[in-house]
Coordinates of all heavy atoms in Angstrom, one line a residue:
M2 N 17.0 -89.8 -7.5 CA 15.6 -89.7 -8.1 C 15.7 -89.2 -9.5 O 16.5 -88.3 -9.8 CB 14.7 -88.8 -7.2 CG 14.5 -89.4 -5.8 SD 13.6 -90.9 -5.7 CE 12.0 -90.3 -5.4
A3 N 14.8 -89.6 -10.3 CA 14.8 -89.2 -11.7 C 13.5 -88.5 -12.0 O 12.5 -88.6 -11.3 CB 14.9 -90.4 -12.6
V4 N 13.5 -87.7 -13.0 CA 12.3 -87.0 -13.6 C 11.7 -88.0 -14.6 O 12.4 -88.5 -15.5 CB 12.6 -85.7 -14.2 CG1 11.4 -85.1 -14.9 CG2 13.1 -84.7 -13.2
I5 N 10.4 -88.3 -14.4 CA 9.7 -89.3 -15.2 C 8.5 -88.6 -15.9 O 7.7 -87.9 -15.2 CB 9.2 -90.5 -14.4 CG1 10.3 -91.1 -13.6 CG2 8.6 -91.5 -15.3 CD1 11.5 -91.6 -14.3
I6 N 8.4 -88.8 -17.2 CA 7.3 -88.2 -18.0 C 6.3 -89.3 -18.3 O 6.7 -90.4 -18.7 CB 7.8 -87.6 -19.3 CG1 9.0 -86.6 -19.0 CG2 6.7 -87.0 -20.1 CD1 8.6 -85.4 -18.2
V7 N 5.0 -89.0 -18.1 CA 3.9 -89.9 -18.5 C 3.1 -89.2 -19.6 O 2.6 -88.0 -19.4 CB 3.0 -90.3 -17.3 CG1 1.9 -91.2 -17.8 CG2 3.9 -91.0 -16.3
E8 N 2.8 -89.9 -20.7 CA 2.0 -89.3 -21.7 C 0.6 -90.1 -21.7 O 0.6 -91.3 -21.7 CB 2.6 -89.5 -23.1 CG 3.9 -88.8 -23.3 CD 4.6 -89.1 -24.6 OE1 4.1 -88.6 -25.6 OE2 5.6 -89.8 -24.6
E9 N -0.5 -89.4 -21.7 CA -1.8 -89.9 -21.6 C -2.6 -89.4 -22.8 O -2.4 -88.3 -23.2 CB -2.5 -89.6 -20.3 CG -1.7 -90.0 -19.1 CD -2.3 -89.3 -17.8 OE1 -3.4 -88.7 -17.9 OE2 -1.6 -89.4 -16.8
R10 N -3.6 -90.2 -23.3 CA -4.6 -89.7 -24.3 C -5.9 -90.0 -23.7 O -6.2 -91.0 -23.0 CB -4.4 -90.5 -25.6 CG -3.1 -90.1 -26.3 CD -3.1 -90.5 -27.7 NE -1.9 -90.3 -28.4 CZ -1.6 -89.1 -29.0 NH1 -2.5 -88.2 -29.2 NH2 -0.5 -88.9 -29.6
F11 N -6.9 -89.1 -24.1 CA -8.3 -89.2 -23.6 C -9.2 -89.3 -24.8 O -9.2 -88.4 -25.6 CB -8.6 -88.1 -22.7 CG -7.7 -87.9 -21.5 CD1 -6.9 -86.8 -21.4 CD2 -7.7 -88.8 -20.5 CE1 -6.1 -86.6 -20.4 CE2 -6.8 -88.7 -19.4 CZ -6.0 -87.6 -19.3
D12 N -10.0 -90.4 -24.9 CA -10.9 -90.5 -26.0 C -12.2 -91.1 -25.4 O -12.2 -92.2 -25.1 CB -10.4 -91.4 -27.1 CG -11.3 -91.5 -28.3 OD1 -12.1 -90.6 -28.5 OD2 -11.2 -92.4 -29.1
P13 N -13.2 -90.2 -25.2 CA -13.3 -88.9 -25.7 C -12.5 -87.9 -24.9 O -12.1 -88.2 -23.8 CB -14.8 -88.6 -25.6 CG -15.2 -89.4 -24.4 CD -14.4 -90.7 -24.5
P14 N -12.2 -86.7 -25.4 CA -11.5 -85.7 -24.6 C -12.2 -85.4 -23.3 O -13.4 -85.5 -23.2 CB -11.5 -84.5 -25.6 CG -11.6 -85.1 -26.9 CD -12.6 -86.2 -26.8
I15 N -11.3 -85.0 -22.3 CA -11.9 -84.6 -21.0 C -12.2 -83.2 -21.0 O -11.8 -82.4 -21.9 CB -10.8 -84.9 -19.9 CG1 -9.6 -84.1 -20.1 CG2 -10.5 -86.4 -19.8 CD1 -8.6 -84.1 -18.9
D16 N -13.0 -82.8 -20.0 CA -13.4 -81.4 -19.8 C -12.2 -80.7 -19.1 O -12.0 -81.1 -17.9 CB -14.7 -81.3 -19.0 CG -15.1 -79.9 -18.7 OD1 -14.4 -78.9 -19.0 OD2 -16.2 -79.8 -18.1
T17 N -11.5 -79.9 -19.7 CA -10.3 -79.3 -19.1 C -10.6 -78.4 -17.9 O -9.7 -78.2 -17.1 CB -9.5 -78.5 -20.1 OG1 -10.3 -77.5 -20.7 CG2 -9.0 -79.4 -21.2
T18 N -11.8 -78.0 -17.7 CA -12.2 -77.1 -16.6 C -12.3 -78.0 -15.3 O -12.3 -77.5 -14.2 CB -13.5 -76.4 -16.8 OG1 -14.6 -77.3 -16.9 CG2 -13.4 -75.5 -18.0
Q19 N -12.3 -79.3 -15.5 CA -12.5 -80.2 -14.3 C -11.1 -80.8 -13.9 O -11.1 -81.6 -12.9 CB -13.5 -81.3 -14.7 CG -14.8 -80.9 -15.0 CD -15.5 -80.1 -13.9 OE1 -15.5 -80.6 -12.8 NE2 -16.0 -78.9 -14.2
G20 N -10.0 -80.5 -14.6 CA -8.8 -81.1 -14.3 C -8.7 -82.5 -14.8 O -9.5 -82.9 -15.6
S21 N -7.7 -83.3 -14.4 CA -7.5 -84.6 -14.9 C -8.2 -85.6 -14.1 O -8.1 -85.7 -12.9 CB -6.0 -85.0 -14.9 OG -5.8 -86.3 -15.3
P22 N -9.0 -86.5 -14.7 CA -9.7 -87.6 -14.0 C -8.7 -88.6 -13.5 O -9.1 -89.4 -12.6 CB -10.6 -88.2 -15.1 CG -10.0 -87.9 -16.4 CD -9.3 -86.6 -16.2
V23 N -7.5 -88.6 -14.0 CA -6.5 -89.6 -13.6 C -6.0 -89.3 -12.2 O -5.7 -90.2 -11.4 CB -5.3 -89.5 -14.6 CG1 -4.2 -90.4 -14.1 CG2 -5.8 -90.0 -16.0
A24 N -6.0 -88.1 -11.8 CA -5.4 -87.7 -10.5 C -6.0 -88.4 -9.3 O -5.3 -88.9 -8.4 CB -5.5 -86.2 -10.3
D25 N -7.3 -88.5 -9.2 CA -8.0 -89.2 -8.1 C -7.6 -90.7 -8.0 O -7.5 -91.3 -7.0 CB -9.5 -89.0 -8.2 CG -9.9 -87.6 -7.9 OD1 -9.2 -86.9 -7.2 OD2 -11.0 -87.2 -8.3
A26 N -7.5 -91.3 -9.2 CA -7.1 -92.7 -9.2 C -5.7 -93.0 -8.9 O -5.3 -94.0 -8.2 CB -7.5 -93.3 -10.6
V27 N -4.8 -92.1 -9.4 CA -3.4 -92.3 -9.3 C -2.8 -91.9 -7.9 O -2.0 -92.6 -7.3 CB -2.6 -91.6 -10.4 CG1 -1.1 -91.5 -10.1 CG2 -2.9 -92.3 -11.7
S28 N -3.4 -90.8 -7.3 CA -2.8 -90.2 -6.1 C -2.6 -91.2 -4.9 O -1.6 -91.2 -4.3 CB -3.7 -89.1 -5.6 OG -3.6 -88.0 -6.6
P29 N -3.6 -92.1 -4.6 CA -3.4 -93.0 -3.5 C -2.2 -94.0 -3.7 O -1.7 -94.6 -2.7 CB -4.7 -93.8 -3.4 CG -5.7 -93.0 -4.2 CD -4.9 -92.2 -5.2
C30 N -1.8 -94.2 -4.9 CA -0.8 -95.2 -5.2 C 0.7 -94.6 -5.2 O 1.6 -95.3 -5.2 CB -1.0 -95.8 -6.6 SG -2.6 -96.6 -6.7
L31 N 0.7 -93.3 -5.2 CA 2.0 -92.6 -5.4 C 3.0 -93.0 -4.2 O 4.1 -93.4 -4.4 CB 1.9 -91.1 -5.4 CG 1.1 -90.6 -6.7 CD1 1.0 -89.1 -6.6 CD2 1.9 -90.9 -8.0
G32 N 2.5 -92.9 -3.0 CA 3.4 -93.2 -1.8 C 3.8 -94.6 -1.8 O 4.9 -94.9 -1.3
V33 N 3.0 -95.5 -2.2 CA 3.3 -96.9 -2.2 C 4.5 -97.2 -3.0 O 5.4 -98.0 -2.6 CB 2.1 -97.7 -2.8 CG1 2.4 -99.2 -2.9 CG2 0.8 -97.6 -1.9
Y34 N 4.7 -96.5 -4.1 CA 5.8 -96.8 -5.0 C 6.9 -95.6 -4.9 O 7.8 -95.6 -5.8 CB 5.4 -97.0 -6.4 CG 4.5 -98.2 -6.6 CD1 3.1 -98.1 -6.6 CD2 5.1 -99.5 -6.6 CE1 2.3 -99.2 -6.7 CE2 4.3 -100.6 -6.7 CZ 2.9 -100.5 -6.8 OH 2.2 -101.6 -6.9
E35 N 6.8 -94.8 -3.9 CA 7.7 -93.7 -3.7 C 7.8 -92.8 -4.9 O 8.9 -92.5 -5.4 CB 9.1 -94.2 -3.2 CG 9.0 -95.0 -1.9 CD 10.3 -95.6 -1.5 OE1 11.4 -95.1 -2.0 OE2 10.3 -96.5 -0.7
V36 N 6.7 -92.4 -5.4 CA 6.6 -91.5 -6.6 C 6.0 -90.1 -6.1 O 5.0 -90.1 -5.4 CB 5.8 -92.1 -7.7 CG1 5.5 -91.1 -8.8 CG2 6.4 -93.4 -8.2
E37 N 6.6 -89.1 -6.6 CA 6.1 -87.7 -6.3 C 5.6 -87.0 -7.5 O 6.4 -86.9 -8.5 CB 7.2 -86.9 -5.6 CG 6.7 -85.5 -5.3 CD 7.9 -84.6 -4.7 OE1 9.0 -85.1 -4.6 OE2 7.6 -83.4 -4.4
W38 N 4.3 -86.6 -7.5 CA 3.8 -85.8 -8.7 C 4.4 -84.4 -8.6 O 4.5 -83.8 -7.6 CB 2.3 -85.7 -8.6 CG 1.7 -84.8 -9.6 CD1 1.4 -85.1 -10.9 CD2 1.2 -83.5 -9.4 NE1 0.9 -84.1 -11.6 CE2 0.7 -83.0 -10.7 CE3 1.2 -82.6 -8.3 CZ2 0.2 -81.8 -10.8 CZ3 0.7 -81.4 -8.5 CH2 0.2 -81.0 -9.7
L39 N 4.9 -83.9 -9.8 CA 5.5 -82.6 -9.9 C 4.5 -81.6 -10.6 O 4.3 -80.5 -10.1 CB 6.8 -82.6 -10.5 CG 7.9 -83.4 -9.8 CD1 9.2 -83.4 -10.7 CD2 8.2 -82.9 -8.4
S40 N 4.0 -82.0 -11.8 CA 3.1 -81.1 -12.5 C 2.5 -81.9 -13.6 O 2.9 -83.0 -14.0 CB 3.9 -79.9 -13.1 OG 4.9 -80.4 -14.0
S41 N 1.4 -81.3 -14.2 CA 0.7 -81.9 -15.3 C 0.4 -80.8 -16.3 O 0.1 -79.6 -15.9 CB -0.6 -82.6 -14.9 OG -0.3 -83.7 -14.1
Y42 N 0.3 -81.1 -17.6 CA -0.1 -80.2 -18.7 C -1.1 -80.9 -19.5 O -0.9 -82.0 -20.1 CB 1.2 -79.9 -19.5 CG 2.3 -79.3 -18.7 CD1 3.2 -80.1 -18.1 CD2 2.3 -77.9 -18.5 CE1 4.2 -79.5 -17.3 CE2 3.3 -77.3 -17.7 CZ 4.3 -78.2 -17.1 OH 5.3 -77.6 -16.3
I43 N -2.3 -80.3 -19.6 CA -3.4 -80.9 -20.3 C -3.6 -80.1 -21.6 O -3.6 -78.8 -21.6 CB -4.7 -80.9 -19.5 CG1 -4.5 -81.7 -18.2 CG2 -5.9 -81.4 -20.3 CD1 -5.7 -81.7 -17.3
A44 N -3.7 -80.8 -22.7 CA -4.0 -80.1 -24.0 C -5.2 -79.3 -23.9 O -6.2 -79.7 -23.3 CB -4.1 -81.1 -25.1
S45 N -5.2 -78.1 -24.6 CA -6.4 -77.2 -24.6 C -7.7 -77.9 -25.1 O -8.8 -77.6 -24.6 CB -6.1 -76.0 -25.5 OG -5.1 -75.3 -25.0
D46 N -7.5 -78.9 -26.0 CA -8.7 -79.6 -26.4 C -9.1 -80.8 -25.6 O -10.0 -81.6 -25.9 CB -8.6 -80.0 -27.9 CG -7.5 -81.1 -28.1 OD1 -6.8 -81.5 -27.1 OD2 -7.3 -81.5 -29.3
G47 N -8.3 -81.1 -24.5 CA -8.6 -82.2 -23.6 C -8.3 -83.6 -24.1 O -8.7 -84.6 -23.5
S48 N -7.6 -83.7 -25.2 CA -7.3 -85.0 -25.8 C -6.1 -85.7 -25.3 O -5.9 -86.9 -25.5 CB -7.2 -84.8 -27.3 OG -6.0 -84.1 -27.6
R49 N -5.2 -85.0 -24.6 CA -4.0 -85.6 -24.1 C -3.4 -84.8 -22.9 O -3.8 -83.7 -22.6 CB -2.9 -85.7 -25.2 CG -2.5 -84.4 -25.7 CD -1.5 -84.5 -26.8 NE -2.2 -85.0 -28.0 CZ -1.7 -85.3 -29.2 NH1 -0.4 -85.1 -29.3 NH2 -2.4 -85.7 -30.1
C50 N -2.5 -85.5 -22.2 CA -2.0 -84.9 -21.0 C -0.5 -85.4 -20.8 O -0.2 -86.6 -21.2 CB -2.8 -85.3 -19.8 SG -2.2 -84.6 -18.2
V51 N 0.3 -84.6 -20.3 CA 1.7 -85.0 -20.0 C 1.8 -84.7 -18.5 O 1.5 -83.6 -18.0 CB 2.7 -84.2 -20.8 CG1 4.1 -84.5 -20.3 CG2 2.6 -84.5 -22.2
C52 N 2.2 -85.7 -17.7 CA 2.4 -85.6 -16.3 C 3.9 -85.8 -16.0 O 4.6 -86.6 -16.6 CB 1.6 -86.6 -15.5 SG -0.2 -86.4 -15.7
V53 N 4.4 -85.0 -15.0 CA 5.8 -85.1 -14.6 C 5.9 -85.5 -13.2 O 5.2 -85.0 -12.3 CB 6.5 -83.7 -14.8 CG1 7.9 -83.7 -14.5 CG2 6.2 -83.1 -16.2
Y54 N 6.7 -86.5 -13.0 CA 6.9 -87.1 -11.6 C 8.3 -87.2 -11.3 O 9.2 -87.1 -12.2 CB 6.3 -88.6 -11.6 CG 4.8 -88.7 -11.8 CD1 4.3 -88.9 -13.1 CD2 3.9 -88.5 -10.8 CE1 2.9 -89.0 -13.3 CE2 2.6 -88.6 -11.0 CZ 2.1 -88.9 -12.2 OH 0.7 -88.9 -12.4
Q55 N 8.6 -87.4 -10.0 CA 9.9 -87.7 -9.5 C 9.9 -89.1 -8.9 O 9.0 -89.3 -8.1 CB 10.4 -86.7 -8.5 CG 11.9 -86.8 -8.2 CD 12.4 -85.6 -7.4 OE1 11.6 -84.9 -6.8 NE2 13.7 -85.5 -7.4
A56 N 10.7 -90.0 -9.3 CA 10.7 -91.3 -8.8 C 12.1 -92.0 -9.0 O 12.9 -91.5 -9.7 CB 9.7 -92.1 -9.6
K57 N 12.2 -93.2 -8.4 CA 13.5 -93.9 -8.6 C 13.7 -94.3 -10.0 O 14.9 -94.2 -10.5 CB 13.4 -95.2 -7.7 CG 14.6 -96.1 -7.8 CD 14.5 -97.3 -6.9 CE 13.5 -98.2 -7.5 NZ 13.4 -99.6 -6.9
D58 N 12.7 -94.6 -10.7 CA 12.8 -95.0 -12.1 C 11.4 -95.0 -12.8 O 10.4 -94.9 -12.2 CB 13.5 -96.4 -12.3 CG 12.8 -97.5 -11.5 OD1 11.5 -97.4 -11.2 OD2 13.4 -98.5 -11.1
A59 N 11.4 -95.2 -14.1 CA 10.2 -95.2 -14.9 C 9.3 -96.3 -14.5 O 8.0 -96.2 -14.5 CB 10.5 -95.2 -16.4
E60 N 9.8 -97.5 -14.2 CA 9.0 -98.6 -13.8 C 8.2 -98.4 -12.6 O 7.1 -98.9 -12.5 CB 9.9 -99.9 -13.7 CG 9.1 -101.1 -13.5 CD 8.1 -101.4 -14.6 OE1 8.4 -101.0 -15.8 OE2 7.1 -102.1 -14.4
S61 N 8.7 -97.6 -11.7 CA 7.9 -97.3 -10.5 C 6.7 -96.5 -10.8 O 5.6 -96.7 -10.3 CB 8.8 -96.4 -9.5 OG 9.9 -97.1 -9.0
V62 N 6.8 -95.6 -11.8 CA 5.6 -94.8 -12.2 C 4.7 -95.7 -13.0 O 3.4 -95.6 -12.9 CB 6.0 -93.6 -13.0 CG1 4.8 -92.8 -13.5 CG2 6.9 -92.7 -12.2
R63 N 5.2 -96.6 -13.8 CA 4.3 -97.6 -14.5 C 3.5 -98.4 -13.5 O 2.3 -98.6 -13.7 CB 5.1 -98.5 -15.4 CG 5.7 -97.8 -16.7 CD 6.4 -98.9 -17.6 NE 7.2 -98.2 -18.5 CZ 8.5 -98.0 -18.5 NH1 9.2 -98.4 -17.4 NH2 9.2 -97.3 -19.4
K64 N 4.2 -98.8 -12.5 CA 3.5 -99.6 -11.4 C 2.3 -98.8 -10.8 O 1.3 -99.4 -10.5 CB 4.4 -100.1 -10.4 CG 5.4 -101.2 -10.8 CD 6.4 -101.5 -9.8 CE 7.3 -102.6 -10.3 NZ 8.3 -102.9 -9.2
V65 N 2.5 -97.5 -10.6 CA 1.5 -96.6 -10.0 C 0.3 -96.7 -11.0 O -0.9 -96.9 -10.5 CB 2.0 -95.2 -9.9 CG1 0.8 -94.2 -9.6 CG2 3.0 -95.1 -8.7
Y66 N 0.5 -96.4 -12.2 CA -0.6 -96.4 -13.2 C -1.3 -97.8 -13.4 O -2.5 -97.8 -13.4 CB -0.1 -95.9 -14.6 CG -0.1 -94.4 -14.7 CD1 0.8 -93.6 -13.9 CD2 -1.0 -93.7 -15.5 CE1 0.8 -92.3 -14.0 CE2 -1.0 -92.3 -15.5 CZ -0.1 -91.6 -14.8 OH -0.1 -90.2 -14.8
R67 N -0.5 -98.8 -13.4 CA -1.1 -100.2 -13.5 C -1.9 -100.5 -12.3 O -3.0 -101.1 -12.4 CB 0.0 -101.2 -13.7 CG 0.6 -101.1 -15.1 CD 1.7 -102.1 -15.3 NE 2.4 -101.9 -16.6 CZ 3.7 -101.9 -16.7 NH1 4.5 -102.1 -15.7 NH2 4.2 -101.7 -18.0
T68 N -1.4 -100.2 -11.1 CA -2.1 -100.5 -9.8 C -3.4 -99.7 -9.8 O -4.5 -100.2 -9.3 CB -1.2 -100.1 -8.6 OG1 -0.1 -100.9 -8.6 CG2 -2.0 -100.4 -7.3
A69 N -3.4 -98.5 -10.3 CA -4.6 -97.6 -10.3 C -5.5 -98.0 -11.4 O -6.7 -97.5 -11.4 CB -4.2 -96.1 -10.4
G70 N -5.1 -98.8 -12.3 CA -6.0 -99.2 -13.5 C -6.1 -98.1 -14.5 O -7.1 -98.0 -15.1
V71 N -5.1 -97.2 -14.6 CA -5.1 -96.1 -15.5 C -4.3 -96.3 -16.7 O -3.1 -96.6 -16.5 CB -4.7 -94.8 -14.7 CG1 -4.6 -93.6 -15.7 CG2 -5.6 -94.5 -13.6
P72 N -4.8 -96.2 -17.9 CA -4.0 -96.4 -19.1 C -3.1 -95.3 -19.4 O -3.3 -94.1 -19.0 CB -5.0 -96.6 -20.2 CG -6.2 -95.8 -19.7 CD -6.2 -96.0 -18.2
F73 N -2.0 -95.6 -20.0 CA -1.0 -94.5 -20.4 C -0.4 -94.9 -21.8 O -0.4 -96.0 -22.2 CB 0.1 -94.4 -19.4 CG 0.9 -95.7 -19.1 CD1 1.9 -96.1 -19.8 CD2 0.5 -96.5 -18.0 CE1 2.6 -97.2 -19.6 CE2 1.1 -97.7 -17.7 CZ 2.2 -98.0 -18.5
E74 N 0.1 -93.9 -22.5 CA 0.7 -94.1 -23.8 C 2.2 -94.4 -23.6 O 2.6 -95.4 -24.2 CB 0.5 -92.8 -24.6 CG -0.9 -92.5 -25.1 CD -1.4 -93.4 -26.1 OE1 -0.6 -93.7 -27.1 OE2 -2.5 -93.9 -26.0
N75 N 2.9 -93.6 -22.9 CA 4.3 -93.8 -22.7 C 4.8 -93.3 -21.4 O 4.2 -92.4 -20.8 CB 5.1 -92.9 -23.8 CG 4.9 -93.4 -25.2 OD1 5.1 -94.5 -25.5 ND2 4.3 -92.5 -26.0
V76 N 5.8 -93.9 -20.8 CA 6.4 -93.5 -19.6 C 7.9 -93.5 -19.8 O 8.5 -94.6 -20.3 CB 6.1 -94.4 -18.4 CG1 6.8 -94.0 -17.1 CG2 4.6 -94.4 -18.2
W77 N 8.6 -92.4 -19.6 CA 10.1 -92.4 -19.8 C 10.8 -91.4 -18.9 O 10.2 -90.4 -18.4 CB 10.3 -92.0 -21.3 CG 9.5 -90.9 -21.9 CD1 8.3 -91.0 -22.4 CD2 9.9 -89.6 -22.0 NE1 7.9 -89.8 -22.8 CE2 8.8 -88.9 -22.6 CE3 11.1 -88.8 -21.7 CZ2 8.9 -87.5 -22.9 CZ3 11.1 -87.5 -22.0 CH2 10.0 -86.8 -22.6
A78 N 12.1 -91.7 -18.6 CA 12.9 -90.8 -17.8 C 13.4 -89.7 -18.7 O 13.6 -89.9 -19.9 CB 14.1 -91.6 -17.3
A79 N 13.5 -88.5 -18.1 CA 13.9 -87.3 -18.8 C 15.0 -86.6 -18.1 O 15.1 -86.7 -16.9 CB 12.7 -86.4 -19.0
S80 N 15.7 -85.8 -18.9 CA 16.7 -84.9 -18.3 C 16.3 -83.5 -18.7 O 15.9 -83.2 -19.8 CB 18.1 -85.2 -19.0 OG 18.5 -86.5 -18.7
P81 N 16.5 -82.6 -17.7 CA 16.1 -81.2 -18.0 C 17.0 -80.6 -19.0 O 18.2 -80.9 -19.1 CB 16.2 -80.5 -16.7 CG 17.0 -81.4 -15.8 CD 16.9 -82.8 -16.4
L82 N 16.4 -79.7 -19.9 CA 17.2 -79.0 -20.8 C 16.9 -77.5 -20.6 O 15.7 -77.1 -20.7 CB 16.8 -79.4 -22.3 CG 17.5 -78.7 -23.4 CD1 19.0 -79.0 -23.4 CD2 16.9 -79.1 -24.7
H83 N 17.9 -76.8 -20.3 CA 17.7 -75.3 -20.0 C 18.6 -74.5 -21.0 O 19.6 -74.9 -21.4 CB 18.2 -75.0 -18.6 CG 17.4 -75.8 -17.5 ND1 16.2 -75.4 -17.1 CD2 17.8 -76.9 -16.8 CE1 15.8 -76.3 -16.2 NE2 16.7 -77.2 -16.0
H84 N 18.1 -73.3 -21.2 CA 18.9 -72.4 -22.0 C 19.5 -71.3 -21.1 O 19.0 -71.1 -20.0 CB 18.0 -71.7 -23.1 CG 16.9 -70.9 -22.6 ND1 15.7 -71.4 -22.2 CD2 16.9 -69.5 -22.4 CE1 14.9 -70.4 -21.7 NE2 15.6 -69.2 -21.9
S85 N 20.6 -70.8 -21.6 CA 21.3 -69.7 -20.8 C 20.6 -68.4 -20.9 O 19.9 -68.2 -21.9 CB 22.7 -69.6 -21.3 OG 23.4 -70.8 -21.3
A86 N 20.8 -67.6 -20.0 CA 20.2 -66.2 -20.0 C 20.6 -65.5 -21.3 O 21.7 -65.6 -21.7 CB 20.7 -65.4 -18.8
G87 N 19.6 -65.0 -22.0 CA 19.9 -64.3 -23.2 C 19.7 -65.2 -24.5 O 19.5 -64.6 -25.6
D88 N 19.7 -66.5 -24.3 CA 19.5 -67.4 -25.4 C 18.0 -67.5 -25.6 O 17.2 -67.4 -24.7 CB 20.0 -68.8 -25.1 CG 21.5 -68.9 -25.1 OD1 22.1 -67.9 -25.6 OD2 22.0 -69.9 -24.6
A89 N 17.6 -67.6 -26.9 CA 16.2 -67.8 -27.2 C 15.8 -69.2 -26.8 O 16.6 -70.1 -27.0 CB 16.0 -67.6 -28.7
P90 N 14.6 -69.4 -26.3 CA 14.1 -70.7 -25.9 C 14.0 -71.6 -27.2 O 13.7 -71.1 -28.3 CB 12.7 -70.5 -25.3 CG 12.5 -69.1 -25.2 CD 13.6 -68.4 -25.9
A91 N 14.3 -72.9 -27.0 CA 14.3 -73.8 -28.1 C 12.8 -74.2 -28.5 O 11.9 -74.1 -27.8 CB 15.0 -75.1 -27.8

């Protein structure tokens, strides 16, 4: 399984106190394509979001979004980058 990043933009910006409107649409499709949601990060101004998934590949996550009818900016596989204890974060 790979870590997959999805970048989304919202125009107009979403209300960050309500969470992501994408979650309700995307959630029912996750199991169909064997995708697991890990976390999401929404910009303070509500204009963009980055979601992190675990899946076989990036195309599986694209299929989730397309099936749900949810637009996305980019979908890509990522590798974790960690710093050693005592190192300053990058």
Side-chain angles (χ1 to χ4, degrees):
M2 297 295 261
V4 172
I5 309 297
I6 307 298
V7 177
E8 299 174 73
E9 305 165 9
R10 290 195 184 268
F11 305 112
D12 186 19
I15 62 170
D16 178 354
T17 59
T18 64
Q19 301 298 311
S21 173
V23 171
D25 289 339
V27 169
S28 292
C30 303
L31 295 175
V33 174
Y34 296 101
E35 300 179 16
V36 173
E37 178 186 0
W38 174 79
L39 299 177
S40 61
S41 293
Y42 302 89
I43 300 174
S45 299
D46 67 0
S48 66
R49 65 184 69 181
C50 180
V51 174
C52 295
V53 183
Y54 296 93
Q55 188 168 20
K57 180 177 73 169
D58 54 26
E60 188 57 29
S61 297
V62 178
R63 287 185 194 99
K64 288 178 182 177
V65 166
Y66 275 69
R67 289 178 184 133
T68 300
V71 174
F73 56 86
E74 292 287 314
N75 296 300
V76 177
W77 44 277
S80 298
L82 178 64
H83 300 282
H84 65 275
S85 301
D88 288 348

